Amino acid sequence: MEDGIFFNQSKYIKEMLKKFGLEDSKPMKTPMSSDTKLTKDEECESVDSTKYRGMIGSLLYLTASRPDIMFSVCLCARFQEAPKTSHLEAVKRIFRYIKGTTHLGLWYPKGTDIEIVVYADSDHAGDYVDRKSTSGICTFVGCCLTSWFSKKQTALAISTTEAKYVSAGKACQQALWMKQALIDYDVRLDDIPIMCDNKGAIDLSKNPVQHSRTKHIEIRHHFLRDNVQKGHISIEKVPSIDNIADILTKPLKRGSFNYLHLGLGMMEHIPQIILARFSFFCLNSSSCSILFRDNLNTSSEVL
């Protein structure tokens, strides 16, 4: 378009719904209920694993333009080895959600400043199988979402601070990679802000003193602190309600989900009122969070 690029996969979604016989299913407002607790569910009936894996594979391809389903798809993908009916129902709900949001996509406005901001979050002990935490990272260049992922942490975190600290470490890796990649385009940035909503993790990244509560954390995670001290990155506090990466760590209620997926830069069309809010949100998410909350109901109705 004249003022930016709109990217979505609506044609692919329609083909996918037809392939799995879900084109007549009832649309849902969110990809996963906030009360969902997926486990191995040994007592439940098994389902066709080939079909289940096909559905997961199709959804994973869709996440190229739909970060709003990233967490839900990755969670369901953990049960591909022995899927049960409860897992299949969760996957079908994702399909029902995308059926109602076929034209939803990512908006990349023209004239965006080249400034990197990385959001990091985690859901402590959110996995009901092994109680490991899930990290969510999303990276913005100006207003444009450039990378995102939702991944279960490899080690068991014994506190929320540790889980958030590990996620911030992953965000640091992404920030340094983006910083280096932009040098090829003759763009050199100073410290890159990483937005975190946990004061303990922020203090730990700045304090070189090893406390008894944190000395068990693997050394490889402490490169975050090293890069903070060198000035390559900075860790900044963001209110939990405004941490965009939260949508990549756990199922959310409808209000929070609509608020954060708009923050990702996702929309069906570009009415000027929403574009103005979105652009202002990109400039400084902390200072404009009140404006966004005040207009949440209007934005949700339009989307």
Side-chain angles (χ1 to χ4, degrees):
M1 303 176 183
E2 291 185 1
D3 51 358
I5 298 173
F6 183 62
F7 173 47
N8 81 331
Q9 296 171 277
S10 58
K11 183 175 182 292
Y12 174 76
I13 291 176
K14 293 175 182 178
E15 293 174 350
M16 185 171 60
L17 289 168
K18 184 177 180 180
K19 176 182 177 180
F20 295 106
L22 296 170
E23 64 268 32
D24 296 325
S25 57
K26 181 181 178 182
M28 299 295 290
K29 298 296 184 180
T30 58
M32 183 170 283
S33 169
S34 59
D35 299 324
T36 299
K37 299 179 180 180
L38 291 183
T39 64
K40 290 184 177 180
D41 205 0
E42 301 290 354
E43 299 180 357
C44 211
E45 183 180 350
S46 298
V47 298
D48 183 359
S49 59
T50 301
K51 179 181 178 181
Y52 186 86
R53 290 170 186 168
M55 296 173 79
I56 292 294
S58 298
L59 289 170
L60 284 172
Y61 182 76
L62 182 61
T63 58
S65 65
R66 297 294 298 267
D68 54 330
I69 64 171
M70 192 74 184
F71 169 77
S72 303
V73 175
C74 290
L75 177 59
C76 293
R78 298 173 190 173
F79 302 96
Q80 293 183 81
E81 184 178 355
K84 305 294 183 179
T85 53
S86 57
H87 307 141
L88 182 60
E89 287 302 315
V91 172
K92 285 183 178 180
R93 174 168 177 137
I94 301 174
F95 275 85
R96 292 168 64 188
Y97 166 71
I98 62 175
K99 182 181 185 298
T101 56
T102 303
H103 298 290
L104 198 64
L106 288 170
W107 171 242
Y108 296 93
K110 186 178 180 180
T112 301
D113 293 333
I114 302 179
E115 296 180 357
I116 297 177
V117 179
V118 185
Y119 288 81
D121 199 12
S122 69
D123 181 28
H124 180 232
D127 190 281
Y128 288 91
V129 176
D130 54 16
R131 307 309 298 182
K132 290 182 179 178
S133 304
T134 299
S135 292
I137 311 292
C138 56
T139 306
F140 291 83
V141 176
C143 292
C144 302
L145 181 66
T146 56
S147 68
W148 58 91
F149 75 84
S150 175
K151 186 177 181 181
K152 186 165 66 171
Q153 296 179 2
T154 55
L156 186 66
I158 63 174
S159 67
T160 301
T161 294
E162 181 180 348
K164 303 275 188 177
Y165 185 71
V166 171
S167 292
K170 290 291 184 182
C172 178
Q173 292 180 22
Q174 183 67 20
L176 294 177
W177 183 88
M178 290 290 292
K179 185 176 182 178
Q180 184 63 35
L182 286 174
I183 293 178
D184 295 337
Y185 300 93
D186 200 27
V187 177
R188 287 170 171 78
L189 302 176
D190 296 325
D191 67 324
I192 296 176
I194 294 177
M195 313 304 288
C196 179
D197 59 10
N198 185 272
K199 186 177 183 299
I202 295 174
D203 292 342
L204 182 57
S205 70
K206 299 177 180 179
N207 187 359
V209 178
Q210 286 280 4
H211 297 286
S212 59
R213 293 184 179 181
T214 60
K215 65 181 181 180
H216 66 282
I217 300 177
E218 297 180 47
I219 297 297
R220 64 190 177 93
H221 295 308
H222 288 307
F223 90 102
L224 169 66
R225 179 188 300 161
D226 185 50
N227 280 283
V228 169
Q229 293 174 350
K230 291 178 179 178
H232 295 161
I233 63 167
S234 61
I235 309 294
E236 300 181 11
K237 184 73 167 62
V238 63
S240 296
I241 191 173
D242 298 320
N243 193 342
I244 301 175
D246 194 33
I247 200 172
L248 301 170
T249 64
K250 57 180 174 289
L252 300 172
K253 293 183 178 180
R254 181 180 173 184
S256 298
F257 181 83
N258 287 341
Y259 175 64
L260 293 179
H261 99 292
L262 186 59
L264 287 170
M266 302 196 66
M267 47 193 71
E268 291 190 1
H269 46 82
I270 319 298
Q272 291 304 313
I273 186 172
I274 291 185
L275 180 57
R277 292 173 192 156
F278 171 62
S279 299
F280 188 50
F281 183 79
C282 294
L283 293 176
N284 189 333
S285 65
S286 298
S287 64
C288 75
S289 59
I290 297 177
L291 171 68
F292 238 57
R293 279 197 291 271
D294 290 343
N295 293 284
L296 176 59
N297 291 332
T298 304
S299 301
S300 300
E301 290 171 2
V302 175
L303 293 174

